């Protein structure tokens, strides 16, 4: 189950205001930008910016990172084997499919399997 990329989640109140700083930090343009469940998201470098009001961000804040994987089946098996719990999903999302997992020990990770027709699948530099 190779991990293709992991994005550190950064919660911001305005995406357009936050993006220039993260573009300067990473020296890259956003690879992805889309809306989902009332928030706006952009991937820039190793960051996933999640923007919205405090109310809009509340359901997302417990997620500590977003990890891109080849497929979700192996993650579902891992959760079953290791005693984790699926908190949300699998869902169809603008970039493919995702699910959110509470792992033993308390880590909350979103896993995403990109749909190559929607977004190019490549590891981060």
């Amino acid at each position: 189950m190779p991990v293709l990329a992991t994005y550190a989640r950064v919660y911001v109140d305005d995406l357009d205001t936050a993006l220039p700083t993260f573009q300067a930090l990473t020296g890259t343009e956003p690879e992805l930008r889309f809306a989902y469940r009332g928030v706006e998201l952009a991937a820039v470098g190793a960051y996933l910016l999640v923007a919205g009001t405090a109310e809009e961000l509340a359901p997302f804040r417990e997620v500590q990172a977003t990890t891109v994987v080849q497929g979700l089946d192996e993650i579902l098996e891992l959760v079953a084997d290791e005693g984790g719990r699926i908190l949300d999903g699998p869902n169809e999302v603008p970039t493919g499919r995702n699910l959110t997992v509470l792992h033993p020990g308390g880590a909350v990770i979103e896993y995403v399997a990109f749909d190559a027709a929607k977004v190019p699948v490549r590891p981060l530099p």
Side-chain angles (χ1 to χ4, degrees), residues 1 73-87 99-104 111:
M1 138 186 22
D73 290 341
E74 289 179 280
I75 302 302
L76 292 167
E77 287 177 30
L78 177 80
V79 171
D81 292 346
E82 300 295 326
R85 185 167 49 115
I86 305 298
L87 298 178
L99 64 95
T100 303
V101 175
L102 171 62
H103 288 285
Y111 293 92

Side-chain angles (χ1 to χ4, degrees), residues 55-67:
E55 218 173 67
E56 291 165 335
L57 291 172
F60 299 92
R61 284 196 179 273
E62 71 177 357
V63 179
Q64 298 160 323
T66 296
T67 299

